[in-house]
Amino acid sequence: MTSQDSAPFDRVWRTELLAVIAHGSVDQATQALLSLTFDDPDGAWVESVLLDCLDGDFDDQVKLLALTCFGHLARIHGVIRNPRTVMQVKRMARVPGFEGRAQDALDDFETFL
């Protein structure tokens, strides 16, 4: 656990970003995902948001960025907590158009975990 993992967070800020991810434009949603990934201290919670993006009815650009963000989480926090994450990223590595980003995330897992 890093010192970031125990830092306080702003619930209103999270709620606003989740609303943008769910209802904003693709550009707004991707910016919100990046903000959560880089600025939210709770990597496990962000991981669950990213999983929701892969599972949900989101634009492919949002899903592609979610894959990239998994790699950032591994680098920033040094851990992936949800066992489903690696399984989902491996699944996405078999989906046409997502293979490269998913493999990049898997490579980041190998490097940083």
Side-chain angles (χ1 to χ4, degrees):
M1 180 178 336
T2 67
S3 61
Q4 282 186 329
D5 291 328
S6 59
F9 62 89
D10 183 341
R11 289 186 198 320
V12 172
W13 174 77
R14 274 185 175 178
T15 301
E16 289 171 352
L17 289 179
L18 288 175
V20 168
I21 293 166
H23 305 293
S25 70
V26 170
D27 286 341
Q28 292 169 326
T30 55
Q31 286 301 312
L33 275 182
L34 287 171
S35 293
L36 286 175
T37 300
F38 289 118
D39 299 327
D40 195 290
D42 186 348
W45 182 81
V46 175
E47 194 176 331
S48 70
V49 172
L50 297 174
L51 281 169
D52 289 345
C53 288
L54 290 185
D55 293 338
D57 186 25
F58 289 93
D59 184 272
D60 286 353
Q61 292 302 311
V62 173
K63 291 181 179 190
L64 287 164
L65 183 62
L67 289 166
T68 299
C69 288
F70 281 123
H72 289 308
L73 282 182
R75 178 183 52 79
I76 293 165
H77 297 281
V79 65
I80 292 294
R81 291 182 175 92
N82 189 330
R84 207 173 127 244
T85 296
V86 174
M87 183 177 63
Q88 286 294 83
V89 173
K90 285 181 178 179
R91 179 185 64 82
M92 293 301 287
R94 295 186 304 271
V95 176
F98 292 91
E99 311 97 320
R101 292 278 183 98
Q103 188 57 55
D104 288 345
L106 293 169
D107 291 345
D108 287 341
F109 294 168
E110 249 184 67
T111 300
F112 298 112
L113 303 180

